[in-house]
Each structure stands twice: as structure tokens, then as C-alpha cells.
Amino acid sequence: MLPFFLTSSKTDQFRNGAWIVIARPDLPTCPVKTLRVYNSAAQINAQIDLSEDLPLFRALATPRSKEKVRSQGISYTRVRELVKDAFRGLRDVSKIGVHNLGYGGATSAANAGIPDRLLKGHGHWASGNAKDGCVKDDFNSRLKVNTKQLFKISETLFQKHCKYL
């Protein structure tokens, strides 16, 4: 597990900040392991450099520089390029963007039954409507709603007709 404090974000209406907790699954896609690999490659001392008021992911310095990373954060454009490079060859990358990763994560969590309140807080959505626009319910989740409705209807009909037996 990797906990860190997010001091501010555009969705933090009261500017209180928030603790973010990132799980450490035993998978090749583990975000904690990936962050450690990045820190090592960029020669970032996690104990010192991450305690400063610097962005977690920073732009790389020029090859002539002594430093591996700059103090400013990595640009959205560069992150988008990296995401597209990662998916190149797997699918048509012209339709992939950085937000797709968030949407996919939110959709997977919602379809796994994570409560809306936790999902909204973890994704830092300003409203339930913003979160709902990112989540695509899978077939089985939609089927559960229909199944529960049918169960309620049949239960009600059974109770009404059983009175007369």
C-alpha cells in the first residue's frame, strides 16, 4: 500500500486536501512497483525528493543536464504520448486518451460492486453526475437490476395470491 496526501485538486471545493491510498497488488501492473521503477530510473530519492512540494511525476531533463528530472510536472501531452505508445500494436491508438484509463478503472470498480461514495472519493469527482458519466455498466450489472425487479414483482404477486390459499 502507498498512502500519500494530495494537498489540493480542482475538485477539492473546500481545499482540505485528501489522503490517497494506492493498493499494492501482486500483478505486473502494480502502480506501487511502477512508481518505484520510475523513481529508480529518474534517480529520485523517494525519502527526500517525494517529501518536497514537487509533482509526483516530473518532466525529464535534457541529456546534457546533470539532473534526470526537472522540477515541473510532466505535461498532459507527454503522458498522452506515453499511453498511446504503451497500447500501440494492441489496438487502434487514435481513439485512446489518458482519460480512458480513469474511465476503465472506474468502470471496473463500479462493476465489481465498489460503493459509489468510495468510488467518487477515490476518483476525485466533483459530483455524482461527473462520476456517472465515466462509468459504463457491464451486462451482468444491468441484468442484476432486472433480476431484482422481477424477484420483487413475483414476491409481491406470490404474497397477494397466497392469502387466499
Side-chain angles (χ1 to χ4, degrees):
M1 169 178 74
L2 175 67
F4 64 92
F5 190 73
L6 185 62
T7 54
S8 67
S9 77
K10 63 183 180 182
T11 59
D12 185 4
Q13 296 174 353
F14 301 108
R15 303 293 183 247
N16 294 329
W19 278 100
I20 307 298
V21 181
I22 299 176
R24 188 180 186 154
D26 189 22
L27 298 170
T29 55
C30 173
V32 176
K33 187 189 301 182
T34 303
L35 180 60
R36 289 183 190 229
V37 169
Y38 167 79
N39 286 340
S40 177
Q43 296 179 349
I44 295 173
N45 182 335
Q47 299 300 321
I48 299 167
D49 294 338
L50 294 181
S51 63
E52 295 178 21
D53 194 18
L54 294 170
L56 186 60
F57 292 100
R58 293 176 255 166
L60 298 175
T62 61
R64 295 182 299 264
S65 173
K66 290 181 190 176
E67 301 295 321
K68 291 278 187 182
V69 290
R70 297 180 184 166
S71 59
Q72 69 261 42
I74 189 169
S75 71
Y76 176 85
T77 303
R78 181 63 182 138
V79 171
R80 189 181 67 224
E81 289 170 356
L82 292 169
V83 167
K84 287 184 180 235
D85 285 348
F87 285 97
R88 200 171 311 284
L90 298 176
R91 59 179 306 151
D92 178 14
V93 295
S94 67
K95 297 178 182 174
I96 294 178
V98 176
H99 285 89
N100 293 100
L101 298 176
Y103 293 174
T107 295
S108 295
N111 289 327
I114 302 297
D116 277 355
R117 184 181 60 79
L118 292 174
L119 188 59
K120 186 180 156 207
H122 187 76
H124 296 280
W125 283 285
S127 70
N129 289 342
K131 179 216 36 101
D132 291 344
C134 296
V135 174
K136 305 242 183 295
D137 296 314
D138 68 1
F139 178 77
N140 289 331
S141 295
R142 293 193 316 257
L143 188 60
K144 283 180 193 175
V145 173
N146 193 3
T147 304
K148 287 182 180 181
Q149 288 173 335
L150 289 174
F151 179 76
K152 281 279 192 198
I153 291 169
S154 58
E155 184 180 47
T156 303
L157 290 172
F158 181 76
Q159 289 174 351
K160 284 183 180 179
H161 293 291
C162 284
K163 286 183 185 177
Y164 303 110
L165 294 178

PDB file of all heavy atoms in Angstrom, residues 79-118:
ATOM      1  N   VAL A  79       2.176  12.650 -21.357  1.00  0.00           N
ATOM      2  CA  VAL A  79       1.508  11.483 -20.764  1.00  0.00           C
ATOM      3  C   VAL A  79       0.645  10.794 -21.818  1.00  0.00           C
ATOM      4  O   VAL A  79       0.650   9.567 -21.937  1.00  0.00           O
ATOM      5  CB  VAL A  79       0.668  11.884 -19.531  1.00  0.00           C
ATOM      6  CG1 VAL A  79      -0.187  10.723 -19.054  1.00  0.00           C
ATOM      7  CG2 VAL A  79       1.562  12.378 -18.412  1.00  0.00           C
ATOM      8  N   ARG A  80      -0.080  11.583 -22.611  1.00  0.00           N
ATOM      9  CA  ARG A  80      -0.913  11.016 -23.679  1.00  0.00           C
ATOM     10  C   ARG A  80      -0.058  10.241 -24.681  1.00  0.00           C
ATOM     11  O   ARG A  80      -0.419   9.145 -25.105  1.00  0.00           O
ATOM     12  CB  ARG A  80      -1.709  12.121 -24.376  1.00  0.00           C
ATOM     13  CG  ARG A  80      -2.757  11.565 -25.339  1.00  0.00           C
ATOM     14  CD  ARG A  80      -3.523  12.644 -26.048  1.00  0.00           C
ATOM     15  NE  ARG A  80      -2.632  13.353 -26.946  1.00  0.00           N
ATOM     16  CZ  ARG A  80      -2.588  14.671 -27.089  1.00  0.00           C
ATOM     17  NH1 ARG A  80      -3.402  15.427 -26.408  1.00  0.00           N
ATOM     18  NH2 ARG A  80      -1.734  15.221 -27.918  1.00  0.00           N
ATOM     19  N   GLU A  81       1.101  10.785 -25.037  1.00  0.00           N
ATOM     20  CA  GLU A  81       2.012  10.095 -25.957  1.00  0.00           C
ATOM     21  C   GLU A  81       2.477   8.766 -25.370  1.00  0.00           C
ATOM     22  O   GLU A  81       2.526   7.744 -26.069  1.00  0.00           O
ATOM     23  CB  GLU A  81       3.237  10.962 -26.251  1.00  0.00           C
ATOM     24  CG  GLU A  81       2.965  12.169 -27.106  1.00  0.00           C
ATOM     25  CD  GLU A  81       4.152  13.132 -27.160  1.00  0.00           C
ATOM     26  OE1 GLU A  81       5.168  12.897 -26.458  1.00  0.00           O
ATOM     27  OE2 GLU A  81       4.065  14.119 -27.912  1.00  0.00           O
ATOM     28  N   LEU A  82       2.810   8.765 -24.085  1.00  0.00           N
ATOM     29  CA  LEU A  82       3.274   7.535 -23.426  1.00  0.00           C
ATOM     30  C   LEU A  82       2.173   6.477 -23.383  1.00  0.00           C
ATOM     31  O   LEU A  82       2.433   5.285 -23.586  1.00  0.00           O
ATOM     32  CB  LEU A  82       3.779   7.839 -22.010  1.00  0.00           C
ATOM     33  CG  LEU A  82       5.051   8.672 -21.931  1.00  0.00           C
ATOM     34  CD1 LEU A  82       5.301   9.139 -20.494  1.00  0.00           C
ATOM     35  CD2 LEU A  82       6.247   7.884 -22.449  1.00  0.00           C
ATOM     36  N   VAL A  83       0.938   6.912 -23.107  1.00  0.00           N
ATOM     37  CA  VAL A  83      -0.194   5.974 -23.073  1.00  0.00           C
ATOM     38  C   VAL A  83      -0.413   5.377 -24.457  1.00  0.00           C
ATOM     39  O   VAL A  83      -0.567   4.165 -24.604  1.00  0.00           O
ATOM     40  CB  VAL A  83      -1.480   6.673 -22.549  1.00  0.00           C
ATOM     41  CG1 VAL A  83      -2.706   5.821 -22.794  1.00  0.00           C
ATOM     42  CG2 VAL A  83      -1.330   6.995 -21.077  1.00  0.00           C
ATOM     43  N   LYS A  84      -0.393   6.214 -25.475  1.00  0.00           N
ATOM     44  CA  LYS A  84      -0.591   5.712 -26.846  1.00  0.00           C
ATOM     45  C   LYS A  84       0.532   4.755 -27.241  1.00  0.00           C
ATOM     46  O   LYS A  84       0.275   3.724 -27.870  1.00  0.00           O
ATOM     47  CB  LYS A  84      -0.690   6.875 -27.838  1.00  0.00           C
ATOM     48  CG  LYS A  84      -2.013   7.605 -27.721  1.00  0.00           C
ATOM     49  CD  LYS A  84      -2.140   8.681 -28.766  1.00  0.00           C
ATOM     50  CE  LYS A  84      -3.459   9.373 -28.610  1.00  0.00           C
ATOM     51  NZ  LYS A  84      -4.262   9.400 -29.786  1.00  0.00           N
ATOM     52  N   ASP A  85       1.769   5.074 -26.858  1.00  0.00           N
ATOM     53  CA  ASP A  85       2.896   4.180 -27.147  1.00  0.00           C
ATOM     54  C   ASP A  85       2.715   2.826 -26.467  1.00  0.00           C
ATOM     55  O   ASP A  85       3.039   1.788 -27.036  1.00  0.00           O
ATOM     56  CB  ASP A  85       4.223   4.799 -26.708  1.00  0.00           C
ATOM     57  CG  ASP A  85       4.696   5.907 -27.645  1.00  0.00           C
ATOM     58  OD1 ASP A  85       4.123   6.047 -28.747  1.00  0.00           O
ATOM     59  OD2 ASP A  85       5.631   6.637 -27.257  1.00  0.00           O
ATOM     60  N   ALA A  86       2.206   2.851 -25.241  1.00  0.00           N
ATOM     61  CA  ALA A  86       2.019   1.602 -24.498  1.00  0.00           C
ATOM     62  C   ALA A  86       0.982   0.695 -25.150  1.00  0.00           C
ATOM     63  O   ALA A  86       1.094  -0.527 -25.075  1.00  0.00           O
ATOM     64  CB  ALA A  86       1.611   1.915 -23.050  1.00  0.00           C
ATOM     65  N   PHE A  87      -0.023   1.276 -25.796  1.00  0.00           N
ATOM     66  CA  PHE A  87      -1.087   0.484 -26.405  1.00  0.00           C
ATOM     67  C   PHE A  87      -0.885   0.240 -27.895  1.00  0.00           C
ATOM     68  O   PHE A  87      -1.651  -0.485 -28.507  1.00  0.00           O
ATOM     69  CB  PHE A  87      -2.450   1.152 -26.167  1.00  0.00           C
ATOM     70  CG  PHE A  87      -2.947   0.989 -24.768  1.00  0.00           C
ATOM     71  CD1 PHE A  87      -2.747   1.986 -23.825  1.00  0.00           C
ATOM     72  CD2 PHE A  87      -3.599  -0.169 -24.383  1.00  0.00           C
ATOM     73  CE1 PHE A  87      -3.196   1.840 -22.527  1.00  0.00           C
ATOM     74  CE2 PHE A  87      -4.048  -0.328 -23.089  1.00  0.00           C
ATOM     75  CZ  PHE A  87      -3.840   0.676 -22.154  1.00  0.00           C
ATOM     76  N   ARG A  88       0.130   0.851 -28.476  1.00  0.00           N
ATOM     77  CA  ARG A  88       0.387   0.693 -29.915  1.00  0.00           C
ATOM     78  C   ARG A  88       0.619  -0.787 -30.229  1.00  0.00           C
ATOM     79  O   ARG A  88       1.338  -1.476 -29.536  1.00  0.00           O
ATOM     80  CB  ARG A  88       1.595   1.520 -30.337  1.00  0.00           C
ATOM     81  CG  ARG A  88       1.636   1.782 -31.821  1.00  0.00           C
ATOM     82  CD  ARG A  88       2.708   2.782 -32.204  1.00  0.00           C
ATOM     83  NE  ARG A  88       2.758   4.025 -31.447  1.00  0.00           N
ATOM     84  CZ  ARG A  88       1.913   5.063 -31.589  1.00  0.00           C
ATOM     85  NH1 ARG A  88       0.929   4.976 -32.449  1.00  0.00           N
ATOM     86  NH2 ARG A  88       2.059   6.153 -30.875  1.00  0.00           N
ATOM     87  N   GLY A  89      -0.007  -1.282 -31.256  1.00  0.00           N
ATOM     88  CA  GLY A  89       0.113  -2.684 -31.636  1.00  0.00           C
ATOM     89  C   GLY A  89      -0.975  -3.548 -31.020  1.00  0.00           C
ATOM     90  O   GLY A  89      -1.284  -4.616 -31.523  1.00  0.00           O
ATOM     91  N   LEU A  90      -1.581  -3.081 -29.927  1.00  0.00           N
ATOM     92  CA  LEU A  90      -2.662  -3.839 -29.298  1.00  0.00           C
ATOM     93  C   LEU A  90      -4.023  -3.446 -29.860  1.00  0.00           C
ATOM     94  O   LEU A  90      -4.924  -4.259 -29.929  1.00  0.00           O
ATOM     95  CB  LEU A  90      -2.664  -3.610 -27.781  1.00  0.00           C
ATOM     96  CG  LEU A  90      -1.420  -4.070 -27.036  1.00  0.00           C
ATOM     97  CD1 LEU A  90      -1.530  -3.691 -25.560  1.00  0.00           C
ATOM     98  CD2 LEU A  90      -1.252  -5.577 -27.168  1.00  0.00           C
ATOM     99  N   ARG A  91      -4.128  -2.171 -30.224  1.00  0.00           N
ATOM    100  CA  ARG A  91      -5.399  -1.669 -30.752  1.00  0.00           C
ATOM    101  C   ARG A  91      -5.179  -0.350 -31.455  1.00  0.00           C
ATOM    102  O   ARG A  91      -4.085   0.178 -31.452  1.00  0.00           O
ATOM    103  CB  ARG A  91      -6.428  -1.535 -29.639  1.00  0.00           C
ATOM    104  CG  ARG A  91      -6.007  -0.593 -28.516  1.00  0.00           C
ATOM    105  CD  ARG A  91      -7.022  -0.449 -27.437  1.00  0.00           C
ATOM    106  NE  ARG A  91      -8.287  -0.059 -28.035  1.00  0.00           N
ATOM    107  CZ  ARG A  91      -9.470  -0.368 -27.524  1.00  0.00           C
ATOM    108  NH1 ARG A  91      -9.545  -1.025 -26.419  1.00  0.00           N
ATOM    109  NH2 ARG A  91     -10.581   0.004 -28.115  1.00  0.00           N
ATOM    110  N   ASP A  92      -6.237   0.198 -32.046  1.00  0.00           N
ATOM    111  CA  ASP A  92      -6.163   1.482 -32.725  1.00  0.00           C
ATOM    112  C   ASP A  92      -5.976   2.571 -31.676  1.00  0.00           C
ATOM    113  O   ASP A  92      -6.891   2.871 -30.919  1.00  0.00           O
ATOM    114  CB  ASP A  92      -7.457   1.710 -33.515  1.00  0.00           C
ATOM    115  CG  ASP A  92      -7.477   3.058 -34.220  1.00  0.00           C
ATOM    116  OD1 ASP A  92      -6.419   3.706 -34.324  1.00  0.00           O
ATOM    117  OD2 ASP A  92      -8.574   3.448 -34.671  1.00  0.00           O
ATOM    118  N   VAL A  93      -4.772   3.149 -31.612  1.00  0.00           N
ATOM    119  CA  VAL A  93      -4.464   4.122 -30.562  1.00  0.00           C
ATOM    120  C   VAL A  93      -5.021   5.508 -30.850  1.00  0.00           C
ATOM    121  O   VAL A  93      -4.985   6.376 -29.975  1.00  0.00           O
ATOM    122  CB  VAL A  93      -2.938   4.223 -30.304  1.00  0.00           C
ATOM    123  CG1 VAL A  93      -2.402   2.936 -29.756  1.00  0.00           C
ATOM    124  CG2 VAL A  93      -2.194   4.671 -31.531  1.00  0.00           C
ATOM    125  N   SER A  94      -5.584   5.738 -32.040  1.00  0.00           N
ATOM    126  CA  SER A  94      -6.123   7.061 -32.358  1.00  0.00           C
ATOM    127  C   SER A  94      -7.312   7.407 -31.453  1.00  0.00           C
ATOM    128  O   SER A  94      -7.622   8.569 -31.258  1.00  0.00           O
ATOM    129  CB  SER A  94      -6.539   7.145 -33.823  1.00  0.00           C
ATOM    130  OG  SER A  94      -7.639   6.290 -34.083  1.00  0.00           O
ATOM    131  N   LYS A  95      -7.956   6.388 -30.887  1.00  0.00           N
ATOM    132  CA  LYS A  95      -9.126   6.623 -30.041  1.00  0.00           C
ATOM    133  C   LYS A  95      -8.818   6.514 -28.549  1.00  0.00           C
ATOM    134  O   LYS A  95      -9.718   6.538 -27.723  1.00  0.00           O
ATOM    135  CB  LYS A  95     -10.230   5.630 -30.410  1.00  0.00           C
ATOM    136  CG  LYS A  95     -10.707   5.800 -31.830  1.00  0.00           C
ATOM    137  CD  LYS A  95     -11.744   4.792 -32.195  1.00  0.00           C
ATOM    138  CE  LYS A  95     -12.153   4.975 -33.651  1.00  0.00           C
ATOM    139  NZ  LYS A  95     -13.059   3.952 -34.101  1.00  0.00           N
ATOM    140  N   ILE A  96      -7.540   6.384 -28.194  1.00  0.00           N
ATOM    141  CA  ILE A  96      -7.158   6.225 -26.792  1.00  0.00           C
ATOM    142  C   ILE A  96      -6.611   7.532 -26.252  1.00  0.00           C
ATOM    143  O   ILE A  96      -5.838   8.220 -26.911  1.00  0.00           O
ATOM    144  CB  ILE A  96      -6.094   5.122 -26.626  1.00  0.00           C
ATOM    145  CG1 ILE A  96      -6.688   3.772 -26.977  1.00  0.00           C
ATOM    146  CG2 ILE A  96      -5.539   5.098 -25.211  1.00  0.00           C
ATOM    147  CD1 ILE A  96      -5.719   2.635 -26.881  1.00  0.00           C
ATOM    148  N   GLY A  97      -7.021   7.877 -25.045  1.00  0.00           N
ATOM    149  CA  GLY A  97      -6.511   9.050 -24.354  1.00  0.00           C
ATOM    150  C   GLY A  97      -6.242   8.712 -22.903  1.00  0.00           C
ATOM    151  O   GLY A  97      -6.532   7.606 -22.437  1.00  0.00           O
ATOM    152  N   VAL A  98      -5.699   9.643 -22.182  1.00  0.00           N
ATOM    153  CA  VAL A  98      -5.372   9.426 -20.771  1.00  0.00           C
ATOM    154  C   VAL A  98      -6.636   9.162 -19.956  1.00  0.00           C
ATOM    155  O   VAL A  98      -6.647   8.325 -19.054  1.00  0.00           O
ATOM    156  CB  VAL A  98      -4.593  10.633 -20.214  1.00  0.00           C
ATOM    157  CG1 VAL A  98      -4.332  10.479 -18.734  1.00  0.00           C
ATOM    158  CG2 VAL A  98      -3.285  10.800 -20.971  1.00  0.00           C
ATOM    159  N   HIS A  99      -7.719   9.855 -20.284  1.00  0.00           N
ATOM    160  CA  HIS A  99      -8.952   9.678 -19.527  1.00  0.00           C
ATOM    161  C   HIS A  99      -9.534   8.273 -19.669  1.00  0.00           C
ATOM    162  O   HIS A  99     -10.251   7.812 -18.792  1.00  0.00           O
ATOM    163  CB  HIS A  99      -9.989  10.727 -19.935  1.00  0.00           C
ATOM    164  CG  HIS A  99      -9.687  12.071 -19.395  1.00  0.00           C
ATOM    165  ND1 HIS A  99      -8.901  12.978 -20.058  1.00  0.00           N
ATOM    166  CD2 HIS A  99     -10.035  12.662 -18.227  1.00  0.00           C
ATOM    167  CE1 HIS A  99      -8.789  14.066 -19.327  1.00  0.00           C
ATOM    168  NE2 HIS A  99      -9.467  13.904 -18.214  1.00  0.00           N
ATOM    169  N   ASN A 100      -9.202   7.582 -20.753  1.00  0.00           N
ATOM    170  CA  ASN A 100      -9.690   6.215 -20.920  1.00  0.00           C
ATOM    171  C   ASN A 100      -9.234   5.321 -19.772  1.00  0.00           C
ATOM    172  O   ASN A 100      -9.958   4.406 -19.365  1.00  0.00           O
ATOM    173  CB  ASN A 100      -9.203   5.611 -22.237  1.00  0.00           C
ATOM    174  CG  ASN A 100      -9.802   6.296 -23.436  1.00  0.00           C
ATOM    175  OD1 ASN A 100      -9.145   7.137 -24.038  1.00  0.00           O
ATOM    176  ND2 ASN A 100     -11.034   5.972 -23.773  1.00  0.00           N
ATOM    177  N   LEU A 101      -8.032   5.547 -19.249  1.00  0.00           N
ATOM    178  CA  LEU A 101      -7.531   4.735 -18.141  1.00  0.00           C
ATOM    179  C   LEU A 101      -8.379   4.951 -16.891  1.00  0.00           C
ATOM    180  O   LEU A 101      -8.722   4.007 -16.192  1.00  0.00           O
ATOM    181  CB  LEU A 101      -6.065   5.062 -17.858  1.00  0.00           C
ATOM    182  CG  LEU A 101      -5.092   4.787 -18.998  1.00  0.00           C
ATOM    183  CD1 LEU A 101      -3.694   5.241 -18.612  1.00  0.00           C
ATOM    184  CD2 LEU A 101      -5.102   3.323 -19.382  1.00  0.00           C
ATOM    185  N   GLY A 102      -8.720   6.209 -16.629  1.00  0.00           N
ATOM    186  CA  GLY A 102      -9.579   6.508 -15.476  1.00  0.00           C
ATOM    187  C   GLY A 102     -10.972   5.939 -15.643  1.00  0.00           C
ATOM    188  O   GLY A 102     -11.563   5.387 -14.720  1.00  0.00           O
ATOM    189  N   TYR A 103     -11.516   6.073 -16.860  1.00  0.00           N
ATOM    190  CA  TYR A 103     -12.850   5.541 -17.132  1.00  0.00           C
ATOM    191  C   TYR A 103     -12.867   4.023 -16.969  1.00  0.00           C
ATOM    192  O   TYR A 103     -13.786   3.457 -16.391  1.00  0.00           O
ATOM    193  CB  TYR A 103     -13.305   5.890 -18.543  1.00  0.00           C
ATOM    194  CG  TYR A 103     -13.544   7.359 -18.803  1.00  0.00           C
ATOM    195  CD1 TYR A 103     -13.827   7.804 -20.075  1.00  0.00           C
ATOM    196  CD2 TYR A 103     -13.486   8.301 -17.790  1.00  0.00           C
ATOM    197  CE1 TYR A 103     -14.039   9.153 -20.337  1.00  0.00           C
ATOM    198  CE2 TYR A 103     -13.694   9.643 -18.039  1.00  0.00           C
ATOM    199  CZ  TYR A 103     -13.975  10.064 -19.316  1.00  0.00           C
ATOM    200  OH  TYR A 103     -14.195  11.389 -19.573  1.00  0.00           O
ATOM    201  N   GLY A 104     -11.832   3.376 -17.484  1.00  0.00           N
ATOM    202  CA  GLY A 104     -11.755   1.917 -17.372  1.00  0.00           C
ATOM    203  C   GLY A 104     -11.632   1.459 -15.934  1.00  0.00           C
ATOM    204  O   GLY A 104     -12.274   0.495 -15.514  1.00  0.00           O
ATOM    205  N   GLY A 105     -10.818   2.170 -15.167  1.00  0.00           N
ATOM    206  CA  GLY A 105     -10.671   1.830 -13.747  1.00  0.00           C
ATOM    207  C   GLY A 105     -11.959   2.039 -12.984  1.00  0.00           C
ATOM    208  O   GLY A 105     -12.368   1.209 -12.168  1.00  0.00           O
ATOM    209  N   ALA A 106     -12.635   3.163 -13.249  1.00  0.00           N
ATOM    210  CA  ALA A 106     -13.903   3.451 -12.579  1.00  0.00           C
ATOM    211  C   ALA A 106     -14.965   2.433 -12.959  1.00  0.00           C
ATOM    212  O   ALA A 106     -15.732   1.964 -12.114  1.00  0.00           O
ATOM    213  CB  ALA A 106     -14.371   4.861 -12.927  1.00  0.00           C
ATOM    214  N   THR A 107     -15.006   2.071 -14.223  1.00  0.00           N
ATOM    215  CA  THR A 107     -15.981   1.090 -14.699  1.00  0.00           C
ATOM    216  C   THR A 107     -15.734  -0.263 -14.047  1.00  0.00           C
ATOM    217  O   THR A 107     -16.666  -0.915 -13.560  1.00  0.00           O
ATOM    218  CB  THR A 107     -15.913   0.975 -16.241  1.00  0.00           C
ATOM    219  OG1 THR A 107     -16.324   2.230 -16.798  1.00  0.00           O
ATOM    220  CG2 THR A 107     -16.805  -0.128 -16.757  1.00  0.00           C
ATOM    221  N   SER A 108     -14.475  -0.701 -13.998  1.00  0.00           N
ATOM    222  CA  SER A 108     -14.150  -1.994 -13.371  1.00  0.00           C
ATOM    223  C   SER A 108     -14.518  -2.002 -11.894  1.00  0.00           C
ATOM    224  O   SER A 108     -15.076  -2.977 -11.389  1.00  0.00           O
ATOM    225  CB  SER A 108     -12.660  -2.295 -13.530  1.00  0.00           C
ATOM    226  OG  SER A 108     -12.331  -2.457 -14.877  1.00  0.00           O
ATOM    227  N   ALA A 109     -14.200  -0.911 -11.202  1.00  0.00           N
ATOM    228  CA  ALA A 109     -14.509  -0.836  -9.769  1.00  0.00           C
ATOM    229  C   ALA A 109     -16.018  -0.836  -9.530  1.00  0.00           C
ATOM    230  O   ALA A 109     -16.512  -1.551  -8.653  1.00  0.00           O
ATOM    231  CB  ALA A 109     -13.876   0.416  -9.171  1.00  0.00           C
ATOM    232  N   ALA A 110     -16.743  -0.052 -10.312  1.00  0.00           N
ATOM    233  CA  ALA A 110     -18.195   0.013 -10.145  1.00  0.00           C
ATOM    234  C   ALA A 110     -18.839  -1.339 -10.425  1.00  0.00           C
ATOM    235  O   ALA A 110     -19.715  -1.795  -9.685  1.00  0.00           O
ATOM    236  CB  ALA A 110     -18.790   1.078 -11.062  1.00  0.00           C
ATOM    237  N   ASN A 111     -18.395  -2.011 -11.485  1.00  0.00           N
ATOM    238  CA  ASN A 111     -18.966  -3.318 -11.827  1.00  0.00           C
ATOM    239  C   ASN A 111     -18.550  -4.406 -10.849  1.00  0.00           C
ATOM    240  O   ASN A 111     -19.190  -5.449 -10.781  1.00  0.00           O
ATOM    241  CB  ASN A 111     -18.598  -3.694 -13.258  1.00  0.00           C
ATOM    242  CG  ASN A 111     -19.344  -2.850 -14.278  1.00  0.00           C
ATOM    243  OD1 ASN A 111     -20.476  -2.447 -14.049  1.00  0.00           O
ATOM    244  ND2 ASN A 111     -18.701  -2.564 -15.389  1.00  0.00           N
ATOM    245  N   ALA A 112     -17.492  -4.145 -10.064  1.00  0.00           N
ATOM    246  CA  ALA A 112     -17.081  -5.091  -9.025  1.00  0.00           C
ATOM    247  C   ALA A 112     -17.845  -4.851  -7.723  1.00  0.00           C
ATOM    248  O   ALA A 112     -17.651  -5.570  -6.753  1.00  0.00           O
ATOM    249  CB  ALA A 112     -15.580  -4.981  -8.779  1.00  0.00           C
ATOM    250  N   GLY A 113     -18.698  -3.816  -7.706  1.00  0.00           N
ATOM    251  CA  GLY A 113     -19.538  -3.574  -6.532  1.00  0.00           C
ATOM    252  C   GLY A 113     -18.979  -2.565  -5.543  1.00  0.00           C
ATOM    253  O   GLY A 113     -19.478  -2.454  -4.427  1.00  0.00           O
ATOM    254  N   ILE A 114     -17.950  -1.808  -5.905  1.00  0.00           N
ATOM    255  CA  ILE A 114     -17.420  -0.776  -5.010  1.00  0.00           C
ATOM    256  C   ILE A 114     -18.502   0.287  -4.823  1.00  0.00           C
ATOM    257  O   ILE A 114     -19.067   0.775  -5.803  1.00  0.00           O
ATOM    258  CB  ILE A 114     -16.133  -0.131  -5.606  1.00  0.00           C
ATOM    259  CG1 ILE A 114     -15.064  -1.180  -5.864  1.00  0.00           C
ATOM    260  CG2 ILE A 114     -15.618   0.993  -4.714  1.00  0.00           C
ATOM    261  CD1 ILE A 114     -14.556  -1.906  -4.647  1.00  0.00           C
ATOM    262  N   PRO A 115     -18.813   0.667  -3.580  1.00  0.00           N
ATOM    263  CA  PRO A 115     -19.868   1.662  -3.345  1.00  0.00           C
ATOM    264  C   PRO A 115     -19.562   3.004  -4.023  1.00  0.00           C
ATOM    265  O   PRO A 115     -18.411   3.435  -4.088  1.00  0.00           O
ATOM    266  CB  PRO A 115     -19.881   1.829  -1.820  1.00  0.00           C
ATOM    267  CG  PRO A 115     -19.267   0.577  -1.292  1.00  0.00           C
ATOM    268  CD  PRO A 115     -18.265   0.144  -2.322  1.00  0.00           C
ATOM    269  N   ASP A 116     -20.617   3.667  -4.497  1.00  0.00           N
ATOM    270  CA  ASP A 116     -20.478   4.946  -5.199  1.00  0.00           C
ATOM    271  C   ASP A 116     -19.710   5.983  -4.383  1.00  0.00           C
ATOM    272  O   ASP A 116     -18.908   6.730  -4.924  1.00  0.00           O
ATOM    273  CB  ASP A 116     -21.856   5.518  -5.557  1.00  0.00           C
ATOM    274  CG  ASP A 116     -22.413   4.924  -6.825  1.00  0.00           C
ATOM    275  OD1 ASP A 116     -21.696   4.150  -7.484  1.00  0.00           O
ATOM    276  OD2 ASP A 116     -23.566   5.243  -7.165  1.00  0.00           O
ATOM    277  N   ARG A 117     -19.977   6.052  -3.091  1.00  0.00           N
ATOM    278  CA  ARG A 117     -19.321   7.061  -2.241  1.00  0.00           C
ATOM    279  C   ARG A 117     -17.811   6.883  -2.258  1.00  0.00           C
ATOM    280  O   ARG A 117     -17.057   7.837  -2.412  1.00  0.00           O
ATOM    281  CB  ARG A 117     -19.858   6.958  -0.806  1.00  0.00           C
ATOM    282  CG  ARG A 117     -19.320   8.018   0.135  1.00  0.00           C
ATOM    283  CD  ARG A 117     -19.883   7.824   1.544  1.00  0.00           C
ATOM    284  NE  ARG A 117     -19.543   6.547   2.111  1.00  0.00           N
ATOM    285  CZ  ARG A 117     -18.355   6.247   2.657  1.00  0.00           C
ATOM    286  NH1 ARG A 117     -17.395   7.128   2.677  1.00  0.00           N
ATOM    287  NH2 ARG A 117     -18.124   5.054   3.165  1.00  0.00           N
ATOM    288  N   LEU A 118     -17.334   5.644  -2.137  1.00  0.00           N
ATOM    289  CA  LEU A 118     -15.893   5.376  -2.169  1.00  0.00           C
ATOM    290  C   LEU A 118     -15.313   5.638  -3.553  1.00  0.00           C
ATOM    291  O   LEU A 118     -14.228   6.194  -3.691  1.00  0.00           O
ATOM    292  CB  LEU A 118     -15.612   3.932  -1.749  1.00  0.00           C
ATOM    293  CG  LEU A 118     -15.882   3.592  -0.294  1.00  0.00           C
ATOM    294  CD1 LEU A 118     -15.692   2.102  -0.047  1.00  0.00           C
ATOM    295  CD2 LEU A 118     -14.976   4.395   0.617  1.00  0.00           C
TER     296      LEU A 118
END
